[in-house]
Amino acid sequence: MIKFKTLLRWGILIVLIIVMIGILVLYCINGIVKNSAEKNLDYVVKGQVGFSDQQIEKLQSFQADCIMVLGAGIKDAETPSDMLRDRLDVGIALYKQKVAPKLLLTGDNGQIGYNEIHVMLNYAKDAGVPEEDIFCDHAGFSTFDSMYRASSIFEANKMIVVTQQYHEYRALYLGKELGMQVLGVASDQKSYRGSIYREVREILARLKDFFKVKLGGEALLGGEAIPING
């Protein structure tokens, strides 16, 4: 009869092997996502919302359909979070430099009393962006949904994606996997509170979206096409 201690040792060993395999898979998939996007993340702006002439020329030559600004939370019904404000400032600066003719603002408007798009739209308009050059995606509930709908609903083929650097890798990877050509401009202007939590969460999110896009997942909501070039 096999002793209890022997069974326990084998049980612990099996659990450890499973955990190690899980960590290895997580590490490999994160590496795939980051390496895939790295070459398209050449335009990092830090410290101030400013660009060199060479950066602008390269971005203009890409001939993007739009500049996508991904949502990042709001402080109240009229105020963007610090991270979202920095994303908006960079996106608006690129628009004003004629890097692309349209802004695509995407965020969560799935709850009563929480409307990222309302805040983002008003912020862009107050900064002088004409409303006719702003497209809004109210169903950008996640990064996957935002990127999927940019292709399927707004029919974007080329995009410049604005978000913080840690988030850019997943956004650019998804854009590429969904058939778009994408470049990223990181909007980090400072260190943000909770960065360690976001980094850990992002590692798990890359794993989730890697399998989601490979298995042919779709956005939570569909809809009629609204061509961004229309």
Side-chain angles (χ1 to χ4, degrees):
M1 183 175 178
I2 300 176
K3 294 182 179 180
F4 173 76
K5 288 185 178 180
T6 303
L7 289 173
L8 182 60
R9 291 193 192 100
W10 275 105
I12 292 173
L13 180 60
I14 291 170
V15 169
L16 288 174
I17 290 172
I18 292 172
V19 170
M20 290 176 65
I21 291 173
I23 292 172
L24 181 61
V25 169
L26 193 63
Y27 177 82
C28 290
I29 287 177
N30 268 266
I32 290 170
V33 172
K34 293 188 74 171
N35 290 337
S36 173
E38 193 78 54
K39 63 183 179 182
N40 294 326
L41 185 56
D42 297 329
Y43 314 103
V44 179
V45 183
K46 290 187 177 179
Q48 60 180 352
V49 182
F51 310 91
S52 68
D53 291 341
Q54 185 178 17
Q55 282 179 308
I56 294 300
E57 288 174 5
K58 287 182 178 179
L59 290 167
Q60 288 174 339
S61 67
F62 183 60
Q63 297 183 329
D65 301 319
C66 63
I67 300 159
M68 170 187 272
V69 180
L70 288 154
I74 54 179
K75 292 182 177 179
D76 55 47
E78 300 296 335
T79 311
S81 67
D82 292 343
M83 291 180 68
L84 180 54
R85 184 187 64 245
D86 287 348
R87 294 182 190 186
L88 288 163
D89 285 342
V90 171
I92 291 165
L94 291 171
Y95 168 83
K96 290 184 175 181
Q97 290 280 359
K98 302 186 185 303
V99 165
K102 305 292 180 182
L103 281 180
L104 174 56
L105 309 178
T106 176
D108 189 347
N109 182 29
Q111 305 172 50
I112 296 174
Y114 186 87
N115 191 339
E116 285 184 338
I117 291 299
H118 168 80
V119 175
M120 296 170 76
L121 175 60
N122 285 343
Y123 191 95
K125 287 164 60 178
D126 290 344
V129 180
E131 191 165 2
E132 59 267 25
D133 286 345
I134 304 173
F135 282 68
C136 295
D137 182 4
H138 295 263
F141 305 125
S142 68
T143 305
F144 180 89
D145 284 4
S146 294
M147 302 306 293
Y148 188 97
R149 287 171 57 82
S151 175
S152 66
I153 302 297
F154 296 95
E155 299 183 351
N157 295 310
K158 288 186 173 184
M159 285 200 312
I160 293 170
V161 182
V162 177
T163 184
Q164 276 72 27
Q165 184 172 353
Y166 82 96
H167 189 211
E168 283 281 10
Y169 301 110
R170 179 161 55 109
L172 297 179
Y173 174 79
L174 288 172
K176 179 181 176 182
E177 289 293 311
L178 291 167
M180 293 180 286
Q181 296 181 55
V182 284
L183 291 179
V185 176
S187 58
D188 307 73
Q189 300 302 308
K190 64 179 77 69
S191 297
Y192 305 96
R193 182 181 299 178
S195 60
I196 295 176
Y197 165 77
R198 281 190 296 273
E199 291 283 357
V200 173
R201 181 178 177 272
E202 186 64 18
I203 289 172
L204 298 175
R206 290 173 192 149
L207 178 69
K208 171 181 68 70
D209 282 352
F210 175 87
F211 285 110
K212 191 168 184 176
V213 75
K214 292 298 185 183
L215 294 173
E218 297 183 355
L220 185 62
L221 292 180
E224 295 182 7
I226 309 171
I228 203 153
N229 290 317

